[in-house]
Amino acid sequence: MLRLLRLLLLLLLLPPPGSPEPPGLAPLSPGAPPQAPDLLYADGLRAYAAGAWAPAVALLREALRSRAALGRARRDCGARCAAEPGTALPAAPGPDSGPGAAWASWEPLLLRAALRRAECLTQCGARRLGPGGAARLRVVSALRDAFRRREPYNYLQRAYYQLKKLDLAAAAAHTFFVANPTHLQMREDMAKYRRMTGVRPQSFRDLETPPHWAAYDTGLELLGRQEAGLALPWLEEALQESLAQMESCRADCEGPEEQQREEDEQEGTGSQGGLYEAIAGVSPAVHWIRVLQCRQRCVGDTATRPGRSFPVPDFLPGQLKRLHEAYAQVGNLSQAVENVLSLLLFYPEDEAATKALDQYQAQLGEPRPGLGPREDIQSFVLRSLGEKRQLYYAMEHLGTSFKDPDPWTPAAVIPEALRDKLREDQEKRPWDHEPPQPKPLTHWKDVLLLEGVTLTQDARQLNGSERAVLDGLLTPAECGVLLQLAKDAAEAGARSGYRGRRSPHTPHERFEGLTVLKAAQLARAGAVGSQGAQLLLEVSERVRTLTQAYFSPDRPLHLSFTHLVCRSAVEGEQAQRMDLSHPVHADNCVLDPDTGECWREPPAYTYRDYSGLLYLNDDFQGGDLFFTEPNALRVTAQVRPRCGRLVAFSSGGENPHGVWAVTRGRRCALALWHTWAPEHREQEWTEAKELLQEPEEEEEEMSSRDPAPEPPSRRLQRVQDKAGKPSRVREEL
């Protein structure tokens, strides 16, 4: 209700139609205080809705600039006031001081320093932002989220397009898409921009890239080209900008927006001044814990790319690892030692880092006493550990919560009473962190389980890792039975996904899918042959057995989803076709072609570990499977479908793949995904097996009573009701 009232208030503040030129059109001069971002944004949306494209662009850009200027002013004031005499916040009592008197004597010190800093922030905000300071320009949570999702760029790209400024339209579209990678409409718009003449590849740039990510990506790209000398300045800049971003984030933890975020979560009304103005109403100790919790979250916030849900693991240690290796490559062993010592501050027992340190010191010769870890990293680690001790102490004695963002936290920092529970939480999904290990070609000789099955291509021949092509899993007769099953199911109107629609990936193909449970239900209803439904179960288990034997002999694999899929070319719509039957993707992570990274987070099916495609026919044009490099541009291998051919591979970002357009005919395959996690085992497979094994007594009895049996559609409904639930609607990924 509170959020709705805020939005209604915003609408009331909009200028009426026909009013003079909105104030946001006035450019923001370098010395002028920022204008209200929410009002500028609202004016921009009104201009956009009226088709006034040029004013809409001016207002939306001004809203973005004003929002950025407001953030800079708040951070600068925070840093300045933190350095003022008498405003340094006292450290909380340590774990050894006990929960009583020490905390009682510490709270007045915190209150005194907090009030002094609050006064400093108010005065600085008034100087930089005008009367009222940051509180006057504070944005409600709904609009904060809109800016965080980069929604202004969604409107900007359309406005630029209408103004025929295609380069800027492509840049705005790309900027929005980076933060919203699952936005299907923008994905289509991006594809259209790429096909337009006059739009250059350089146009697709992120206008909101944080400095540390820009430097980080440039450094990684140069390292990938084996240019360590050129990469080093960028890697150093990435590290410094990452630390600066964390400091900026930490300063925000004491500002009004952080306080309002807590109030929004509690549906409160908010206050004008943030943490320090509210400190008289809530215990200083509680506020201090909130500040520390927020500061610790800054590590994950800095390591999370725009639009992503999870941070890059070990972001700072990973940068130090690349730095010491790059310095060693260019022969700067002193800097290599400094960075590897810094890495060991996070992981003192890391074998690879210790070995590298010994190697560097041996090459340097005589010991150098002044050589140590980087001061900025040493300060970061010591401060972070001090905050963690206080948070774990509060967690144990004050009942607060804390989710440690760092895997490197030493066990000694965590109270013994909390260690067992935290260890259980970390060990719930160990398979998520264990990359698949490649098997040599000779390994296949030990796992040849089916007569007639041959290894046609291994990972080396497919120019990748954890890939294999196996032939002979189906006979031509078995392929025919499964093809007939797919045809009969389609004619019965039982497309389990995208019923009666075109493919979700391209408008030029039709897509039909059949799950194992749906096949069993159709077989019980007499709509399809029971032989085909039974064979579908048997073949899926056959594929699982072979995939486990080849890739994962020491850990059992479980089927997580089985889908019989047919793609058919739409006649008359194949001329000058430019899209794919299925775009390049990975099966358990969100692939980012611009960076080459793959994010194991929703909406991807993160529990999938291995994938398989068992082909049923080859009498069609196009439709080949292909693998690419992580940038989704260069094809590394291609496989032509044929009856009984299985392509199996690990489901992660090491195996990006897609399907070329099916331009004639109908391509059918059995898609299967496997998981190490037993809780994600395909329950429908078991239900289908039980359904097919049930005796046909009920049907025989009904047939003897009624000489005119019910239509298959009614029988199908009755079987579904008996099964207890309808089949899932799933997309082949």
Side-chain angles (χ1 to χ4, degrees), residues 27 51 160 266 287 389 414 467 544 579 613 622 639 649 666 673:
Y160 279 131
Q266 301 170 3
H287 272 293
R389 289 188 179 94
I414 305 172
R467 305 173 183 172
R544 186 204 64 80
D579 62 353
L613 292 166
V639 180
F649 48 92
R666 188 166 184 253
W673 292 273

Side-chain angles (χ1 to χ4, degrees), residues 425-499:
D425 293 340
Q426 294 173 355
E427 292 176 353
K428 284 182 179 178
R429 289 293 306 272
W431 46 84
D432 281 348
H433 310 288
E434 297 184 15
Q437 300 298 319
K439 302 294 189 304
L441 176 62
T442 54
H443 174 76
W444 175 246
K445 297 178 181 179
D446 300 327
V447 296
L448 187 59
L449 301 179
L450 294 177
E451 184 178 356
V453 175
T454 59
L455 176 64
T456 305
Q457 290 178 289
D458 66 352
R460 179 182 57 81
Q461 294 166 315
L462 290 170
N463 302 314
S465 63
E466 292 290 279
R467 305 173 183 172
V469 176
L470 311 172
D471 279 319
L473 270 79
L474 293 173
T475 66
E478 289 175 325
C479 287
V481 171
L482 292 177
L483 287 170
Q484 187 63 44
L485 172 66
K487 181 180 178 182
D488 292 343
E491 292 176 353
R495 300 177 179 88
S496 65
Y498 319 106
R499 186 184 306 271

Side-chain angles (χ1 to χ4, degrees), residues 262-421:
E262 295 177 4
E263 292 164 353
D264 287 341
E265 291 172 357
Q266 301 170 3
E267 293 294 328
T269 58
S271 66
Q272 293 268 326
L275 170 64
Y276 304 109
E277 287 76 355
I279 205 165
V282 181
S283 164
V286 173
H287 272 293
W288 178 251
I289 295 302
R290 289 179 182 174
V291 170
L292 293 183
Q293 290 170 336
C294 176
R295 288 178 176 178
Q296 285 288 305
R297 288 197 298 269
C298 289
V299 175
D301 291 346
T302 302
T304 302
R305 287 185 181 276
R308 305 305 180 190
S309 302
F310 298 99
V312 174
D314 274 338
F315 189 50
L316 284 183
Q319 293 187 60
L320 293 168
K321 179 178 183 294
R322 293 184 179 92
L323 277 168
H324 85 73
E325 291 173 347
Y327 276 119
Q329 289 180 31
V330 300
N332 191 339
L333 296 180
S334 297
Q335 290 294 322
V337 168
E338 182 180 271
N339 282 279
V340 77
L341 285 173
S342 302
L343 174 59
L344 287 169
L345 293 177
F346 294 95
Y347 293 104
E349 299 179 0
D350 186 88
E351 295 182 2
T354 303
K355 183 178 179 181
L357 176 62
D358 293 340
Q359 180 182 347
Y360 300 155
Q361 290 177 335
Q363 292 175 341
L364 281 172
E366 58 185 31
R368 303 190 180 184
L371 210 54
R374 303 172 65 118
E375 292 184 5
D376 49 4
I377 297 298
Q378 194 167 10
S379 174
F380 170 84
V381 171
L382 291 175
R383 183 179 63 184
S384 181
L385 290 177
E387 292 175 351
K388 291 176 191 293
R389 289 188 179 94
Q390 296 176 39
L391 286 166
Y392 278 121
Y393 178 84
M395 187 176 177
E396 182 181 19
H397 295 284
L398 304 181
T400 61
S401 61
F402 172 52
K403 184 176 181 180
D404 197 330
D406 299 312
W408 54 266
T409 303
V413 173
I414 305 172
E416 189 172 352
L418 299 176
R419 290 178 193 173
D420 291 340
K421 182 181 183 303

